[in-house]
Amino acid sequence: MKTFLAFLLACAPLGAEVTVIKNATIMTESARGTIKGSVLVRDGKIAEVGENVMIPAGATVIDASGQWVIPGIIDCHSHIAVDGNVNEGSVSVSSMVNIKDVINPEDIAIYRALAGGVTTANILHGSANSIGGQTIVIKMRWGKDAQGLIFEGATPGIKFALGENPKRAGNPQPGGRGPAAPLRYPATRMGVEDTIREAFNEAKQYKAEWDAYDAAVKAGQHPLPPRKDLKLEPLKEVLEGKRFVHAHCYRADEILMLIRIADDYGFKIKTFQHVLEGYKVADEIAAHGAGASTFSDWWAYKMEAIDAIPYNAAMMAKKGIVVSLNSDDAELMRRLNTEAAKAMKYGGISREDALAMVTINPAKQLAIDNRVGSIEPGKDADLVIYDQDPLSNFSKVQKVLIDGNKYFDRDQEVSGRPRKEAEKQKLIEMEKQQQRIPTGGRRGQ
Amino acid sequence: MRGRYSSLACAAIFCSAVFAAANDTFLIRNVDVYPVSSAPQQNVSLLVQDGKIAEIGAKITAPKGIRIVEGKGLRVYPGMIDSGTNLGLSEVSAERVTVDTNELGEFMPQLRALIAVNPDSEHIPVSRVNGITSAVTYPGGGRGGRGGAGAQIIAGQAALIHLAGWTWEQMEISPDAAVQVIFPSIGGGGRGGENADFPDPAAFGGAAQSYTERKRQYDQAIQRLNDFFDAARQYQKERAANAAGFKRDLKMEAMIPVLEGKVPVAVTAQQERQIRDAIAFAEKQHVRMVLIQPRQALKVAAELKAKNIPVILGRTEALPENEDAPYDQAESLPGELHKAGVKFAFGTFSNEFVRNLPYNAARAVAYGLPHDEGLKAVTINAAEIWGVSDKIGSIEKGKWADLMITNGDPLETPTQIKHLYIKGQEIELTNKQIQLYERYSKRP
């Protein structure tokens, strides 16, 4: 472990040990609110925040005069950095598969997300199954390998999905291409409920077998262990509170349905995702203690999004629900700061509370708020510097730090473009030259 | 342009439930006026008479008993124009039964978007409460396009509509703002279908057909397009000669205004090759062209400027076209085109995101477009490009009172719209979403 740490430190850019961002307007998203001053970063952590911060000798100083600093943005619903299809759609319950196994650290979407101020994202399996695959939280450490992206210690999750998407494979596809695929249960919201109940009925028995085994071992006996079931293992973890449920949902009826399943089987829904009709059952969601991660203003792209309203986030927040705004999209992901501004427009949320919906609130929903989501001493130095008010549509990300290391710098990006373009042209020329060589074989075979 | 513009009779029908008040004569006072076509004027009055802008100034003698709208601390802007929508033609994009864009048939200039506009589409009130008062709605494009073999080349007539009215006739500003041409593409319209740098399909995940074959199909499609225009011109001659045995043809009739230069072609072309070929096509056929969503317009900017070809840009809230492209490619494009002297307006090319039109302009401002040009690109530029700048697009005497009164810069998200007028009629700032908000806010 020590050698590994030494390796990590060796990899860190020079001068990353102590950095001071000074003269900035800092939206701390903590009890301190918004202040003018400095952030001192030491060894990847925020060491000090305040109006008057002493600059240690040898520190890297970033003068952010006229600029704004916010905590790194957290996207609670993303599918970037996934190698290939995000859906294992062949079965109604695909809890045995794990997004962690297919993280692609070279996805350009990671860099683009960085350029939009995102430092952490919840990477989810798709929504083709009532119970989908396992999920993982990553940091946008562009340049690191797959292991290096994973948010150390973050509780893993599992995707559930309700409504139209999990039903789709159970209904004939009009105009579908290719030979007709066999229909897959379920085809209705009734079937979605049953699928989830059947799975937890199994999981509960499975857990009972293991609990009995564990108790026997504890009592000094030597029983045979039950057979390990890779489908039920993650559901057992859900029942034990060791794995979070992130449930894709739209309509009020299905939200309520899942709350009741969770009540019956004794587990919690950590977040309702999309949850576009959450405003209709906000009391029930609040009573269950689930978070809600929604779109700011997407609607009408499908039938179950027809009653979506942009006031959803504000209405749920007013009922005491921890609300985040997510992207579910590599493009939208790059501008979650201005998505937060929509919570100000629709429902009158304050500036700080609006920005919280893309910083500290998603951190709470993922239970990583001890590490990220606000600018407070002891937390990871995941910081974004904007040229102006980040809730303004005119703002641009200037720099992004993760663990105190700079991963994005707009000035460097822009000044480096001519060199990259020249390099690209050179490669194209080389490619063209190669194509002209009259050989029998073809490339890429 | 041609068409039935508002008569008083029409304005009289235009009333009751849609509008909070049936009165289209009023005075906004103590307001900051942002005409867009000229410098802002602080703390003045704006007189609207019979739905038209009558006067702007510090001292206006208003008719006695006129309705007064207090504008203290507020601003008034012209209503915004979205130059790329399917408003009224598509409700739930994933449900084909609710979508009326993309008819069958390759050359269909006779199809009229206007007559398929559903005035009760929920997208209309949702869009207009954010200050969008008119929009171009296209017969083709958007999601639900068929693509591939049998794809449309001429989709029909795009209409410019007001976002208020009991019927589509009342909504009409221009029934044939343009004839929509979806220019052929080598990749069949798919992503990454064409890249002139690598004329080898193996470099693009192995396209089913060879580049040579796709290029041949592309050239053939352009030939068919030119043949269609040639046939229309022949028809035009025969029609003018009133030759014996002349038979009226509805497709060809629909082409006459285009050939006469009264109606432009709105040509969708994204890639540099397509754009250049589209320019060549328009020149060859002597037709006016508006270029739609040309993502690689920057590579052709000098020609666009030299030939006065206006452009409708898509969303700046968009990803770069490929991995190598700068992350802010879509955001920077408007600013770069402005520097190059190309005239453009914005379209959202959606229905769901029409209300975010001003934020797309704002994002362009963040990445280099001057602020006043951002505003123009959602107001007066659009009006000029669609040939209706005598009617809408700015706050000038004689134009329709399509106005929004705001508490700040409309390009900024938290800004609230306080009053909205279309043809001087006050629009009630409500819609299904606001009603759901109010209803569920009261849930005990």
Side-chain angles (χ1 to χ4, degrees):
Chain A
M1 188 63 194
K2 256 187 183 159
T3 43
F4 179 63
L5 277 177
F7 171 72
L8 276 185
L9 286 172
C11 287
L14 280 178
E17 288 81 357
V18 181
T19 304
V20 178
I21 304 168
K22 64 171 191 179
N23 299 328
T25 304
I26 305 161
M27 292 183 77
T28 66
E29 294 306 310
S30 71
R32 293 186 67 177
T34 300
I35 60 167
K36 297 235 184 214
S38 306
V39 186
L40 174 70
V41 174
R42 182 175 284 124
D43 297 330
K45 298 279 180 188
I46 295 162
E48 211 181 328
V49 187
E51 283 83 359
N52 298 301
V53 172
M54 288 286 284
I55 299 177
T60 304
V61 177
I62 299 172
D63 187 354
S65 297
Q67 302 191 321
W68 293 57
V69 179
I70 68 165
I73 290 172
I74 300 166
D75 188 347
C76 199
H77 192 128
S78 174
H79 303 288
I80 70 163
V82 175
D83 196 8
N85 199 332
V86 298
N87 274 308
E88 174 47 63
S90 59
V91 284
S92 306
V93 177
S94 65
S95 49
M96 69 294 287
V97 304
N98 196 336
I99 284 292
K100 187 181 177 183
D101 298 331
V102 288
I103 291 293
N104 169 18
E106 293 181 357
D107 184 354
I108 190 69
I110 298 169
Y111 183 75
R112 292 171 181 162
L114 263 176
V118 176
T119 54
T120 295
N122 189 25
I123 307 300
L124 300 173
H125 182 274
S127 51
N129 337 68
S130 305
I131 294 180
Q134 299 165 48
T135 68
I136 190 81
V137 181
I138 66 168
K139 282 202 185 188
M140 303 296 133
R141 297 180 185 118
W142 179 243
K144 302 267 189 217
D145 63 12
Q147 189 63 41
L149 296 191
I150 289 166
F151 195 120
E152 321 75 16
T155 307
I158 186 165
K159 177 78 171 281
F160 283 19
L162 315 176
E164 289 181 23
N165 291 12
K167 281 178 12 169
R168 195 168 293 146
N171 289 289
Q173 303 291 300
R177 275 183 279 182
L183 296 184
R184 190 202 74 189
Y185 185 80
T188 67
R189 284 182 168 80
M190 299 180 289
V192 170
E193 192 215 19
D194 175 55
T195 301
I196 299 171
R197 281 188 182 272
E198 300 280 359
F200 274 96
N201 187 42
E202 268 186 85
K204 209 168 176 179
Q205 292 170 32
Y206 177 72
K207 181 174 177 295
E209 287 172 29
W210 276 99
D211 287 350
Y213 168 77
D214 290 342
V217 169
K218 216 172 184 180
Q221 298 166 14
H222 301 282
L224 276 175
R227 188 173 184 150
K228 199 146 199 165
D229 186 316
L230 297 185
K231 183 182 90 172
L232 297 177
E233 198 63 28
L235 301 183
K236 175 171 168 277
E237 290 170 359
V238 168
L239 292 170
E240 292 164 348
K242 294 174 185 163
R243 181 174 290 280
F244 293 155
V245 175
H246 301 294
H248 159 120
C249 57
Y250 282 81
R251 271 179 20 193
D253 48 89
E254 64 198 23
I255 296 165
L256 187 56
M257 173 275 281
L258 187 60
I259 288 173
R260 295 302 169 240
I261 292 181
D263 289 347
D264 288 353
Y265 285 89
F267 66 93
K268 291 286 177 193
I269 306 301
K270 189 66 181 174
T271 67
F272 282 102
Q273 297 283 331
H274 310 322
V275 61
L276 296 186
E277 289 189 12
Y279 67 94
K280 295 184 180 178
V281 283
D283 289 324
E284 286 79 0
I285 296 171
H288 183 74
S293 188
T294 188
F295 296 131
S296 67
D297 61 357
W298 285 24
W299 78 293
Y301 48 95
K302 62 203 297 200
M303 207 55 218
E304 62 191 0
I306 199 72
D307 270 5
I309 65 175
Y311 303 90
N312 190 33
M315 289 173 81
M316 291 192 294
K318 280 170 192 164
K319 293 282 186 179
I321 299 168
V322 175
V323 175
S324 69
L325 293 167
N326 70 47
S327 79
D328 190 17
D329 179 73
E331 192 284 308
L332 186 63
M333 192 177 190
R334 311 171 312 144
R335 47 188 173 86
L336 285 168
N337 56 314
T338 50
E339 288 296 277
K342 287 175 184 165
M344 297 166 67
K345 182 186 188 78
Y346 302 108
I349 297 292
S350 75
R351 298 172 48 80
E352 276 77 10
D353 288 350
L355 191 66
M357 289 183 178
V358 296
T359 53
I360 190 67
N361 289 7
K364 286 176 184 166
Q365 291 176 339
L366 297 168
I368 49 176
D369 52 315
N370 59 328
R371 287 272 306 274
V372 294
S374 62
I375 303 179
E376 291 177 87
K379 285 201 176 182
D380 295 5
D382 293 2
L383 302 164
V384 187
I385 305 177
Y386 284 87
D387 59 347
Q388 53 182 289
D389 179 359
L391 291 158
S392 163
N393 290 333
F394 306 130
S395 65
K396 282 191 297 293
V397 172
Q398 298 299 311
K399 291 181 177 64
V400 179
L401 275 61
I402 298 178
D403 310 320
N405 297 323
K406 196 168 69 181
Y407 280 89
F408 175 79
D409 187 318
R410 178 164 165 87
D411 291 339
Q412 283 175 13
E413 148 84 32
V414 172
S415 64
R417 282 175 187 171
R419 184 183 52 76
K420 278 187 190 158
E421 185 56 32
E423 191 182 327
K424 186 184 172 188
Q425 286 309 318
K426 205 173 142 190
L427 287 168
I428 289 169
E429 280 314 308
M430 282 168 64
E431 188 84 359
K432 284 180 178 169
Q433 291 298 327
Q434 278 184 8
Q435 282 182 354
R436 287 194 196 109
I437 297 169
T439 55
R442 277 184 52 178
R443 295 170 307 107
Q445 290 186 342
Chain B
M1 295 187 65
R2 301 166 309 120
R4 291 142 288 192
Y5 293 120
S6 75
S7 63
L8 278 175
C10 184
I13 301 163
F14 221 79
C15 62
S16 69
V18 176
F19 306 107
N23 188 351
D24 60 359
T25 296
F26 57 95
L27 183 80
I28 310 169
R29 67 176 183 195
N30 304 322
V31 77
D32 296 344
V33 178
Y34 289 74
V36 174
S37 51
S38 57
Q41 299 178 49
Q42 311 293 320
N43 200 22
V44 292
S45 294
L46 194 161
L47 177 65
V48 173
Q49 266 182 323
D50 302 327
K52 299 260 174 78
I53 295 156
E55 220 178 328
I56 309 154
K59 285 180 184 144
I60 291 178
T61 36
K64 259 213 155 93
I66 193 168
R67 187 160 56 99
I68 303 284
V69 178
E70 181 56 51
K72 200 167 174 56
L74 301 175
R75 309 172 176 196
V76 58
Y77 291 87
M80 292 180 280
I81 305 165
D82 189 330
S83 290
T85 78
N86 296 121
L87 281 174
L89 276 80
S90 172
E91 201 65 19
V92 178
S93 49
E95 299 294 336
R96 181 67 207 178
V97 290
T98 72
V99 177
D100 276 308
T101 58
N102 302 298
E103 184 49 89
L104 298 171
E106 194 170 35
F107 296 100
M108 305 294 280
Q110 74 277 29
L111 301 181
R112 301 197 294 151
L114 181 67
I115 58 85
V117 169
N118 171 13
D120 270 335
S121 165
E122 293 293 346
H123 289 281
I124 292 168
V126 165
S127 301
R128 73 185 174 203
V129 298
N130 210 25
I132 290 87
T133 50
S134 49
V136 179
T137 189
Y138 292 76
R143 277 185 280 180
R146 291 192 161 81
Q152 286 192 303
I153 294 180
I154 297 182
Q157 299 162 32
L160 179 60
I161 56 171
H162 264 136
L163 299 193
W166 291 97
T167 68
W168 52 258
E169 280 180 327
Q170 291 182 350
M171 297 170 77
E172 167 192 326
I173 299 172
S174 175
D176 48 1
V179 165
Q180 186 187 8
V181 175
I182 299 159
F183 206 77
S185 77
I186 280 193
R191 220 188 233 185
E194 161 153 29
N195 187 324
D197 293 339
F198 289 96
D200 180 350
F204 295 99
Q209 293 168 319
S210 71
Y211 171 79
T212 318
E213 172 58 19
R214 286 181 295 137
K215 177 73 165 63
R216 192 181 64 80
Q217 289 180 9
Y218 173 74
D219 291 339
Q220 280 180 350
I222 294 174
Q223 187 58 50
R224 286 200 302 281
L225 175 62
N226 275 302
D227 289 349
F228 187 80
F229 272 73
D230 292 344
R233 190 159 283 107
Q234 181 60 32
Y235 176 87
Q236 183 187 28
K237 280 184 199 147
E238 288 169 13
R239 184 178 187 263
N242 205 11
F246 171 77
K247 278 185 189 150
R248 205 173 137 83
D249 180 296
L250 294 185
K251 264 188 216 262
M252 296 287 125
E253 284 292 325
M255 293 298 293
I256 302 270
V258 174
L259 298 177
E260 289 175 344
K262 289 176 184 162
V263 168
V265 280
V267 183
T268 307
Q270 301 209 345
Q271 305 288 332
E272 181 184 0
R273 177 206 304 269
Q274 280 180 294
I275 298 168
R276 290 192 186 284
D277 289 346
I279 293 171
F281 151 76
E283 289 211 315
K284 186 178 171 190
Q285 296 296 344
H286 305 289
V287 292
R288 278 202 294 136
M289 177 167 77
V290 180
L291 198 55
I292 309 296
Q293 280 191 292
R295 294 204 64 169
Q296 296 187 345
L298 205 51
K299 294 181 178 173
V300 200
E303 289 88 331
L304 296 174
K305 155 109 174 101
K307 296 176 196 301
N308 276 321
I309 297 170
V311 166
I312 304 301
L313 292 175
R315 274 181 269 169
T316 57
E317 295 173 346
L319 285 174
E321 60 184 321
N322 57 44
E323 280 202 5
D324 291 347
Y327 77 91
D328 57 355
Q329 186 190 33
E331 293 89 334
S332 305
L333 179 63
E336 298 289 335
L337 282 182
H338 171 67
K339 266 188 233 158
V342 176
K343 181 169 197 159
F344 60 84
F346 285 110
T348 56
F349 295 91
S350 75
N351 280 352
E352 299 95 315
F353 300 116
V354 172
R355 62 178 161 197
N356 293 340
L357 175 73
Y359 313 144
N360 281 277
R363 211 165 155 80
V365 172
Y367 289 82
L369 183 69
H371 185 276
D372 57 337
E373 292 298 327
L375 263 181
K376 282 183 187 172
V378 292
T379 55
I380 189 66
N381 286 8
E384 286 172 2
I385 289 168
W386 302 116
V388 291
S389 58
D390 57 331
K391 309 264 181 328
I392 59 173
S394 63
I395 301 180
E396 289 179 87
K397 198 174 169 174
K399 289 198 185 186
W400 279 330
D402 290 359
L403 304 170
M404 55 174 167
I405 300 182
T406 72
N407 64 354
D409 182 352
L411 300 194
E412 286 282 36
T413 302
T415 298
Q416 302 284 350
I417 306 249
K418 298 292 185 183
H419 298 277
L420 185 71
Y421 304 89
I422 293 180
K423 286 175 153 179
Q425 298 283 356
E426 182 149 20
I427 301 290
E428 198 182 342
L429 292 173
T430 191
N431 56 40
K432 178 192 168 186
Q433 299 186 347
I434 293 168
Q435 285 156 11
L436 280 168
Y437 169 55
E438 288 165 349
R439 188 166 134 216
Y440 278 91
S441 291
K442 288 181 205 141
R443 184 190 157 185

CSV table of all heavy atoms in Angstrom, one decimal, chain A residues 204-224:
chain,number,residue,atom,x,y,z
A,204,LYS,N,-34.4,-12.5,0.0
A,204,LYS,CA,-34.6,-12.6,1.4
A,204,LYS,C,-34.3,-14.0,1.9
A,204,LYS,O,-33.7,-14.2,3.0
A,204,LYS,CB,-36.1,-12.2,1.7
A,204,LYS,CG,-36.2,-11.6,3.1
A,204,LYS,CD,-37.5,-10.9,3.3
A,204,LYS,CE,-37.6,-10.4,4.7
A,204,LYS,NZ,-38.8,-9.7,5.1
A,205,GLN,N,-34.8,-15.0,1.2
A,205,GLN,CA,-34.5,-16.4,1.5
A,205,GLN,C,-33.0,-16.7,1.5
A,205,GLN,O,-32.5,-17.4,2.3
A,205,GLN,CB,-35.3,-17.4,0.6
A,205,GLN,CG,-36.8,-17.3,0.8
A,205,GLN,CD,-37.6,-18.0,-0.2
A,205,GLN,OE1,-37.1,-19.0,-0.8
A,205,GLN,NE2,-38.7,-17.5,-0.6
A,206,TYR,N,-32.4,-16.2,0.5
A,206,TYR,CA,-30.9,-16.3,0.3
A,206,TYR,C,-30.2,-15.7,1.5
A,206,TYR,O,-29.3,-16.4,2.0
A,206,TYR,CB,-30.5,-15.7,-1.0
A,206,TYR,CG,-29.1,-15.7,-1.3
A,206,TYR,CD1,-28.4,-16.8,-1.7
A,206,TYR,CD2,-28.3,-14.5,-1.3
A,206,TYR,CE1,-27.1,-16.9,-2.1
A,206,TYR,CE2,-27.0,-14.5,-1.6
A,206,TYR,CZ,-26.3,-15.7,-2.0
A,206,TYR,OH,-25.0,-15.7,-2.3
A,207,LYS,N,-30.6,-14.6,1.9
A,207,LYS,CA,-30.0,-13.9,3.0
A,207,LYS,C,-30.2,-14.7,4.3
A,207,LYS,O,-29.3,-14.9,5.1
A,207,LYS,CB,-30.6,-12.5,3.2
A,207,LYS,CG,-30.0,-11.7,4.3
A,207,LYS,CD,-30.5,-10.2,4.3
A,207,LYS,CE,-29.9,-9.5,5.5
A,207,LYS,NZ,-30.4,-9.9,6.8
A,208,ALA,N,-31.4,-15.3,4.4
A,208,ALA,CA,-31.7,-16.1,5.6
A,208,ALA,C,-30.7,-17.3,5.7
A,208,ALA,O,-30.2,-17.6,6.8
A,208,ALA,CB,-33.1,-16.5,5.6
A,209,GLU,N,-30.5,-17.9,4.5
A,209,GLU,CA,-29.6,-19.0,4.5
A,209,GLU,C,-28.2,-18.6,5.0
A,209,GLU,O,-27.5,-19.3,5.8
A,209,GLU,CB,-29.4,-19.6,3.1
A,209,GLU,CG,-30.6,-20.4,2.6
A,209,GLU,CD,-30.5,-20.8,1.1
A,209,GLU,OE1,-29.4,-20.9,0.6
A,209,GLU,OE2,-31.6,-20.8,0.5
A,210,TRP,N,-27.7,-17.5,4.5
A,210,TRP,CA,-26.4,-17.0,4.9
A,210,TRP,C,-26.4,-16.5,6.3
A,210,TRP,O,-25.4,-16.8,7.0
A,210,TRP,CB,-26.0,-15.8,3.9
A,210,TRP,CG,-25.3,-16.4,2.7
A,210,TRP,CD1,-25.9,-16.5,1.5
A,210,TRP,CD2,-24.0,-16.9,2.5
A,210,TRP,NE1,-25.1,-17.0,0.5
A,210,TRP,CE2,-23.9,-17.3,1.2
A,210,TRP,CE3,-22.9,-17.0,3.4
A,210,TRP,CZ2,-22.7,-17.8,0.7
A,210,TRP,CZ3,-21.7,-17.5,2.9
A,210,TRP,CH2,-21.6,-17.9,1.5
A,211,ASP,N,-27.4,-15.9,6.8
A,211,ASP,CA,-27.5,-15.5,8.2
A,211,ASP,C,-27.4,-16.7,9.1
A,211,ASP,O,-26.7,-16.6,10.1
A,211,ASP,CB,-28.8,-14.7,8.4
A,211,ASP,CG,-28.7,-13.3,7.8
A,211,ASP,OD1,-27.6,-12.9,7.3
A,211,ASP,OD2,-29.8,-12.6,7.7
A,212,ALA,N,-28.1,-17.7,8.7
A,212,ALA,CA,-28.1,-19.0,9.5
A,212,ALA,C,-26.7,-19.6,9.5
A,212,ALA,O,-26.2,-20.0,10.6
A,212,ALA,CB,-29.1,-20.0,9.0
A,213,TYR,N,-26.1,-19.5,8.4
A,213,TYR,CA,-24.7,-20.1,8.2
A,213,TYR,C,-23.8,-19.3,9.1
A,213,TYR,O,-23.0,-19.8,9.9
A,213,TYR,CB,-24.3,-20.1,6.8
A,213,TYR,CG,-22.8,-20.3,6.6
A,213,TYR,CD1,-22.3,-21.6,6.7
A,213,TYR,CD2,-22.0,-19.2,6.3
A,213,TYR,CE1,-20.9,-21.8,6.5
A,213,TYR,CE2,-20.6,-19.5,6.1
A,213,TYR,CZ,-20.1,-20.8,6.2
A,213,TYR,OH,-18.7,-21.0,6.0
A,214,ASP,N,-23.8,-17.9,9.0
A,214,ASP,CA,-23.0,-17.0,9.7
A,214,ASP,C,-23.2,-17.2,11.2
A,214,ASP,O,-22.2,-17.3,12.0
A,214,ASP,CB,-23.2,-15.6,9.4
A,214,ASP,CG,-22.7,-15.2,8.0
A,214,ASP,OD1,-21.9,-16.0,7.4
A,214,ASP,OD2,-23.2,-14.2,7.4
A,215,ALA,N,-24.4,-17.4,11.6
A,215,ALA,CA,-24.7,-17.6,13.1
A,215,ALA,C,-24.1,-18.9,13.6
A,215,ALA,O,-23.6,-19.0,14.7
A,215,ALA,CB,-26.2,-17.6,13.3
A,216,ALA,N,-24.2,-19.9,12.7
A,216,ALA,CA,-23.7,-21.3,13.1
A,216,ALA,C,-22.2,-21.2,13.2
A,216,ALA,O,-21.6,-21.7,14.2
A,216,ALA,CB,-24.1,-22.3,12.0
A,217,VAL,N,-21.5,-20.5,12.3
A,217,VAL,CA,-20.1,-20.3,12.3
A,217,VAL,C,-19.7,-19.6,13.6
A,217,VAL,O,-18.7,-20.0,14.3
A,217,VAL,CB,-19.5,-19.6,11.1
A,217,VAL,CG1,-18.1,-19.2,11.3
A,217,VAL,CG2,-19.7,-20.4,9.8
A,218,LYS,N,-20.5,-18.6,13.9
A,218,LYS,CA,-20.2,-17.8,15.1
A,218,LYS,C,-20.3,-18.6,16.4
A,218,LYS,O,-19.6,-18.4,17.3
A,218,LYS,CB,-21.2,-16.6,15.2
A,218,LYS,CG,-20.5,-15.3,15.7
A,218,LYS,CD,-21.5,-14.1,15.6
A,218,LYS,CE,-20.8,-12.9,16.0
A,218,LYS,NZ,-21.7,-11.7,15.9
A,219,ALA,N,-21.3,-19.6,16.3
A,219,ALA,CA,-21.5,-20.5,17.4
A,219,ALA,C,-20.5,-21.6,17.5
A,219,ALA,O,-20.6,-22.5,18.3
A,219,ALA,CB,-22.9,-21.0,17.4
A,220,GLY,N,-19.5,-21.6,16.6
A,220,GLY,CA,-18.4,-22.5,16.7
A,220,GLY,C,-18.7,-23.8,15.9
A,220,GLY,O,-17.9,-24.8,16.0
A,221,GLN,N,-19.8,-23.8,15.1
A,221,GLN,CA,-20.1,-25.0,14.3
A,221,GLN,C,-19.3,-24.9,13.0
A,221,GLN,O,-18.8,-23.9,12.6
A,221,GLN,CB,-21.6,-25.1,14.1
A,221,GLN,CG,-22.4,-25.2,15.4
A,221,GLN,CD,-23.9,-25.0,15.2
A,221,GLN,OE1,-24.4,-24.9,14.1
A,221,GLN,NE2,-24.6,-24.8,16.3
A,222,HIS,N,-19.4,-26.0,12.2
A,222,HIS,CA,-18.7,-26.0,10.9
A,222,HIS,C,-19.6,-26.5,9.8
A,222,HIS,O,-19.4,-27.5,9.2
A,222,HIS,CB,-17.5,-27.0,11.0
A,222,HIS,CG,-16.5,-26.5,12.1
A,222,HIS,ND1,-15.6,-25.5,11.9
A,222,HIS,CD2,-16.3,-27.0,13.4
A,222,HIS,CE1,-14.9,-25.3,13.0
A,222,HIS,NE2,-15.3,-26.2,13.9
A,223,PRO,N,-20.7,-25.7,9.6
A,223,PRO,CA,-21.6,-26.1,8.5
A,223,PRO,C,-21.1,-25.8,7.1
A,223,PRO,O,-20.1,-25.1,7.0
A,223,PRO,CB,-22.8,-25.2,8.8
A,223,PRO,CG,-22.2,-24.0,9.4
A,223,PRO,CD,-21.0,-24.4,10.1
A,224,LEU,N,-21.7,-26.5,6.1
A,224,LEU,CA,-21.4,-26.2,4.8
A,224,LEU,C,-22.0,-24.8,4.4
A,224,LEU,O,-23.1,-24.5,4.7
A,224,LEU,CB,-22.0,-27.2,3.8
A,224,LEU,CG,-21.2,-28.5,3.6
A,224,LEU,CD1,-22.0,-29.5,2.8
A,224,LEU,CD2,-19.8,-28.2,3.0
